[in-house]
Amino acid sequence: MRTSGRTRKAAVIAVAGLAACATLITGCSSDSKDDSKGSSDSSSSASSNEKITLHVGDFGSFGYDNEKGAALYAEYQKLHPNITIVEDNVSDGQQYWDKLKLHLTQNSGLDDIQAIEVGYIGLAIQPNLANKFVDFKTVQGFNADDWLPYKEKQATTGDGKIIGLGTDAGPTAICYNKDAFAKAGLPTDRDQLASQWNGDWQKFIDLGKQFQAKAPAGMKFSDSGSGLFNAILASQPTQYSDANGKLIYDTSQGVKTAWDLSTEAVEAGITAGYQQLDPQNAWTAAFKTNKFATVTCPSWMVGLVQSNSGPAGQGKWDIAAPPQVGNWGGSFLAVPKSGKHVKEATELAQWLTAPEQQIKVFQKFGNIPSTVKALDDPAVQNLTNPYFPGTPVGKLFASAAKNITPAPIGPWDGNVKDIITKNGIMDMEKRHTSKDKAWSNVTSQIKDKVVQ
Amino acid sequence: MATSVRATSDGSPPSSRPAQRPSTQDGSRPPGWRTRLYRFDTKASPYAYVAPFFIVFAAFGLFPLIYTGYLSLQQVELGAHGKWIGFDNYTALWNSPFFWKALRNTFTLGVISTVPQLMMALGIAHLLNYKMRGRSFFRVAILAPYATSVAAATLVFIQLFNPDYGMINQLLGHIGAGHIDWESSKWPAQIAISSIVTWRWTGYNALIYLAAMQAVPHDLYEAAALDGASRWRQFINVTIPSIRPTILFTIIVSTIGATQLFGEPLMYGGGVGITGGTDHQYQTLSLYMYDQGWNVGELGRASAVAWVMLLILLLIGAANLLVARANRRKLGG
């Protein structure tokens, strides 16, 4: 008899719940992040004294933050008391990019400044994404010639817009274990080695074979065939794509050279078959257990060699100029047009990437500057690292950075690189697949994945 | 009747003989709006009760399902607008050796992880069904693996199966077996991954079986014992037939789980997890879908994989249904 009363009450609750669910669902579409991000008034043409907050989205470590980095944010806030800077950092670079890509498609959730890694800049300069960023060519005080010649070229779109300001560069060198070289009866002096393999990666591989013949037990010459491939390819004038961003990996002379040399090393058994920076940390652990004698070393790798080898490795490692210089890594800062404070964000991005600031980051954090002026600065040139006693680290990388030959990049570079290194070279190392079979695996996979 | 009572009880004490009141007012006026509201209320409120689930289902289940189907007919990159290409994504899948490899891997991984798992669960449930000391402890303990996260379990198994310094190769070395490459050889890697799945889900299925076994009437066993049936015969001839519907249920659930196997192979592969090893040795359909969608950015192709997976699940479901129906007919006849 009382059922209907209960039903009515329940119906009210159910309807209320229903409404709540509905708001929950539609709630997704309204962009809450933008609201909280902006200041109290929404007009973008406000006076310069208005209090605003700028969000900087980046990944890994850019060395700008106030705790571990060069405290550039604090410095800028002191110069501009009305600006508060908040850094939204995602540690994993790929996760960061995946999220950024989604945010860009939806035009929501974007930060005022977004960092872009060189591996993804080829995608970012494609028209569908590039149009969402400020073209720095139209910005006052911007001069592409301030940077190394190749740097701003990488952030230039097909129709000549420049969407990114270069942060750091990744000139490559060779890190080698002096003790191991001595045991194998090879010279240990960095200049002598550099001149021995100067100009030709083939000489480097030949030296590796020589090393392997007398190597200490359980030790390989190189950490990984894929690391070798990346470093060799980085030094080639043609890589995966042509000047129009079209994929030419199968006809590219650079890819052929890098593939032939690195697979030669793999087949000769002078590579240890690790994957650099693997999530299981096998590569990291192998530094301490002396599984390899050389690592191809972009500037950002030096810190890893140091931390992975630990205090016991101090003084054992040295750095030499590579057979041919290449660039491996480095990033850009871009400003999305949809932001509320585009003008202020642009100014901040310019300030952060100016030579003075790049030097500060380098001193504190070791990221190699990408502007010519900063590279010539004595503070960069004279830098040494107590972990590598006597090695002119700063001079080595700064001069390498200036010798980099630019290569065209394309939107598929990252995918093709992954397939060649992980499914091609690593497959040879781990499963002893033949070179020809590995290459045909690579091409069929690229055909499967790349839809041009 | 209920509504009429409520309609007339406006402040006055409820009548002890409600049947009389309507008869006095019979035909004097049409049912008021409150009456109609209440009638509507009784009819509509059950739908309101179930609405929250179905609204959430529509938003997060049905809509994505249909939208994925729509996307699968387009070429759409992450961050760009789609282009209608009809069934090209499906024909591309049909022609892709990697899709077939993923399908095969999903099947083999499913079999080697589900079959031993359910057999073991059945055995464990049978043992736990006996009266013994510390029964509750054992029952809770077998569920513990289920409570660990995929990531944590996989990380531990990666260490165990490490070819160079892992415990399993060390133990195998002691008994004289050769070095097994649990990472890159196809079958060892698949066995290692299925062992993670088995470890996590055996206890869960065992508990479900145990619950079903406890519902089997005791006199069946007593009768069987009187007839001189051994424990093993009792298990085969009494327990298994009695819990057959439960077994079917766990088979369906495990099959769905196996078809969607993702986290274990992804984590197990580490840096080459997305492609399921350097040679796609253990790339499952879910991983292939993720690879196409997020690694390469071809959302249309990934959506097509998702729909193929749905079709496969529907086929498996239909097969299960037929088996169940045949089963019922056999039991009934």
Side-chain angles (χ1 to χ4, degrees):
Chain A
M1 282 271 167
R2 274 173 292 144
T3 47
S4 71
R6 253 192 220 154
T7 323
R8 189 170 64 147
K9 208 185 271 173
V12 171
I13 294 169
V15 168
L18 216 147
C21 287
T23 29
L24 221 155
I25 290 159
T26 49
C28 301
S29 61
S30 76
D31 183 20
S32 50
K33 202 177 173 191
D34 262 355
D35 297 342
S36 64
K37 190 187 292 178
S39 56
S40 47
D41 65 324
S42 53
S43 64
S44 53
S45 58
S47 71
S48 63
N49 289 326
E50 171 213 351
K51 284 228 175 297
I52 61 169
T53 303
L54 292 177
H55 286 248
V56 179
D58 61 15
F59 53 89
S61 40
F62 272 68
Y64 296 153
D65 60 305
N66 304 335
E67 286 85 36
K68 285 191 204 149
L72 293 185
Y73 298 138
E75 193 179 337
Y76 196 75
Q77 287 174 27
K78 210 174 264 175
L79 294 171
H80 305 265
N82 61 319
I83 291 176
T84 314
I85 302 171
V86 178
E87 183 179 350
D88 300 329
N89 183 284
V90 179
S91 65
D92 184 273
Q94 180 162 5
Q95 267 176 32
Y96 166 84
W97 169 250
D98 286 345
K99 246 190 219 162
L100 175 59
K101 214 158 42 167
L102 281 179
H103 289 170
L104 282 170
T105 9
Q106 303 301 324
N107 257 332
S108 87
L110 287 165
D111 287 321
D112 296 289
I113 294 178
Q114 294 280 4
I116 300 174
E117 212 257 342
V118 65
Y120 304 112
I121 196 80
L123 278 168
I125 57 172
Q126 298 309 305
N128 58 340
L129 293 183
N131 292 335
K132 304 187 184 241
F133 292 110
V134 168
D135 174 13
F136 287 107
K137 268 193 167 170
T138 64
V139 171
Q140 210 191 349
F142 171 82
N143 182 6
D145 296 335
D146 289 348
W147 277 266
L148 290 167
Y150 79 95
K151 189 75 187 173
E152 289 305 296
K153 215 175 188 177
Q154 292 182 326
T156 307
T157 64
D159 50 357
K161 289 180 195 143
I162 296 181
I163 60 154
L165 299 176
T167 57
D168 56 330
T172 52
I174 304 288
C175 294
Y176 64 99
N177 188 324
K178 281 188 286 191
D179 285 8
F181 270 48
K183 275 181 200 154
L186 295 178
T188 56
D189 179 65
R190 75 186 80 84
D191 294 325
Q192 202 181 334
L193 283 169
S195 64
Q196 203 164 331
W197 61 51
N198 184 32
D200 193 351
W201 283 97
Q202 183 68 54
K203 290 182 190 160
F204 180 73
I205 309 266
D206 291 343
L207 188 90
K209 289 178 186 165
Q210 213 180 315
F211 171 91
Q212 206 63 51
K214 290 191 207 161
M219 198 182 221
K220 298 282 188 184
F221 177 65
S222 164
D223 64 333
S224 68
S226 35
L228 218 48
F229 176 87
N230 282 332
I232 299 174
L233 187 74
S235 66
Q236 304 296 318
T238 55
Q239 297 180 5
Y240 305 109
S241 308
D242 68 7
N244 300 320
K246 194 175 170 294
L247 200 57
I248 50 152
Y249 78 100
D250 46 351
T251 53
S252 156
Q253 190 56 48
V255 173
K256 189 172 172 357
T257 308
W259 172 262
D260 286 344
L261 285 170
S262 53
T263 51
E264 183 188 331
V266 170
E267 284 180 333
I270 65 169
T271 63
Y274 289 99
Q275 184 196 349
Q276 292 179 339
L277 300 162
D278 65 322
Q280 290 151 357
N281 286 332
W283 177 72
T284 308
F287 275 90
K288 287 207 177 79
T289 49
N290 291 318
K291 297 280 190 203
F292 43 78
T294 65
V295 179
T296 47
C297 244
S299 46
W300 45 266
M301 192 80 88
V302 172
L304 291 171
V305 171
Q306 182 175 341
S307 59
N308 291 344
S309 308
Q314 179 165 14
K316 277 190 189 165
W317 287 86
D318 206 337
I319 308 168
Q324 284 170 302
V325 180
N327 180 70
W328 182 4
S331 297
F332 299 87
L333 295 184
V335 178
K337 277 183 197 161
S338 60
K340 283 196 175 148
H341 309 288
V342 173
K343 188 169 153 284
E344 290 84 354
T346 312
E347 278 166 13
L348 172 61
Q350 282 181 298
W351 186 83
L352 284 173
T353 52
E356 299 76 36
Q357 276 63 250
Q358 288 194 343
I359 293 168
K360 286 175 206 158
V361 172
F362 172 77
Q363 284 174 320
K364 183 85 189 176
F365 220 70
N367 288 357
I368 299 289
S370 58
T371 53
V372 181
K373 202 175 146 202
L375 284 170
D376 289 337
D377 195 275
V380 175
Q381 291 279 338
N382 298 335
L383 179 103
T384 52
N385 181 338
Y387 195 82
F388 305 90
T391 311
V393 180
K395 195 172 275 167
L396 229 149
F397 283 113
S399 63
K402 293 174 101 177
N403 288 326
I404 291 169
T405 28
I409 53 174
W412 294 102
D413 290 7
N415 288 125
V416 174
K417 177 183 134 182
D418 271 358
I419 294 172
I420 292 183
T421 53
K422 291 182 181 173
N423 303 114
I425 293 171
M426 268 180 66
D427 198 48
M428 286 177 68
E429 285 174 321
K430 297 220 167 199
R431 296 164 44 81
H432 310 292
T433 313
S434 74
K435 182 183 165 184
D436 294 339
K437 180 81 178 71
W439 184 252
S440 77
N441 283 348
V442 165
T443 49
S444 68
Q445 265 186 79
I446 293 174
K447 267 186 207 132
D448 187 54
K449 287 187 181 172
V450 175
V451 185
Q452 281 209 95
Chain B
M1 186 143 87
T3 51
S4 64
V5 174
R6 299 295 296 187
T8 51
S9 64
D10 42 346
S12 62
S15 163
S16 54
R17 289 169 297 162
Q20 282 187 352
R21 293 286 290 272
S23 63
T24 58
Q25 295 179 348
D26 192 33
S28 61
R29 57 174 176 160
W33 65 272
R34 296 188 66 132
T35 319
R36 260 180 287 150
L37 184 67
Y38 292 137
R39 203 166 284 156
F40 172 73
D41 174 17
T42 21
K43 284 211 178 111
S45 41
Y47 294 99
Y49 281 129
V50 296
F53 170 79
F54 282 97
I55 286 174
V56 172
F57 171 73
F60 298 106
L62 197 62
F63 170 71
L65 188 73
I66 293 166
Y67 191 62
T68 305
Y70 169 73
L71 277 187
S72 73
L73 302 175
Q74 307 212 348
Q75 192 206 332
V76 48
E77 275 166 48
L78 210 53
H81 292 288
K83 192 175 78 190
W84 186 267
I85 52 165
F87 284 90
D88 281 9
N89 282 328
Y90 291 93
T91 48
L93 281 188
W94 183 268
N95 293 326
S96 161
F98 301 99
F99 168 74
W100 291 106
K101 203 167 192 174
L103 188 63
R104 271 200 304 275
N105 286 339
T106 310
F107 179 75
T108 53
L109 269 171
V111 170
I112 57 177
S113 64
T114 315
V115 175
Q117 172 195 335
L118 293 182
M119 303 271 232
M120 275 159 58
L122 208 52
I124 290 173
H126 183 64
L127 294 178
L128 284 176
N129 204 14
Y130 287 126
K131 283 200 175 65
M132 56 176 169
R133 254 172 224 283
R135 198 161 59 159
S136 313
F137 168 76
F138 288 116
R139 286 180 185 178
V140 172
I142 56 158
L143 200 63
Y146 175 64
T148 45
S149 75
V150 186
T154 310
L155 285 178
V156 172
F157 274 82
I158 287 173
Q159 300 300 324
L160 290 179
F161 279 108
N162 186 296
D164 297 325
Y165 54 81
M167 209 168 82
I168 291 180
N169 262 3
Q170 276 180 17
L171 289 179
L172 287 177
H174 285 308
I175 60 165
H179 177 92
I180 295 179
D181 196 351
W182 294 104
E183 271 170 11
S184 10
S185 302
K186 181 180 170 179
W187 288 107
Q190 290 207 357
I191 288 170
I193 290 166
S194 64
S195 71
I196 307 172
V197 182
T198 308
W199 182 76
R200 279 193 73 226
W201 290 94
T202 303
Y204 171 82
N205 285 311
L207 271 203
I208 291 183
Y209 287 149
L210 182 61
M213 283 176 188
Q214 284 175 338
V216 179
H218 242 280
D219 21 346
L220 284 179
Y221 291 105
E222 278 164 19
L226 277 180
D227 287 344
S230 66
R231 286 230 149 119
W232 174 248
R233 277 243 80 90
Q234 290 178 22
F235 177 68
I236 296 293
N237 288 353
V238 179
T239 312
I240 302 260
S242 310
I243 63 168
R244 200 171 265 160
T246 312
I247 295 179
L248 203 67
F249 166 77
T250 55
I251 289 176
I252 295 175
V253 171
S254 312
T255 312
I256 293 176
T259 316
Q260 297 173 342
L261 195 63
F262 178 74
E264 288 89 349
L266 177 72
M267 302 258 323
Y268 189 79
V272 288
I274 291 180
T275 51
T278 52
D279 193 33
H280 302 243
Q281 309 97 302
Y282 45 91
Q283 187 179 45
T284 59
L285 279 178
S286 310
L287 275 178
Y288 185 68
M289 175 173 77
Y290 182 76
D291 189 11
Q292 291 284 348
W294 263 257
N295 196 21
V296 184
E298 285 290 340
L299 287 185
R301 195 76 74 73
S303 305
V305 179
W307 262 77
V308 170
M309 282 171 72
L310 176 73
L311 291 180
I312 291 171
L313 276 180
L314 287 178
L315 275 179
I316 293 173
N320 264 320
L321 201 72
L322 287 179
V323 171
R325 195 170 287 167
N327 222 343
R328 219 174 296 142
R329 209 172 295 140
K330 204 169 81 186
L331 286 181

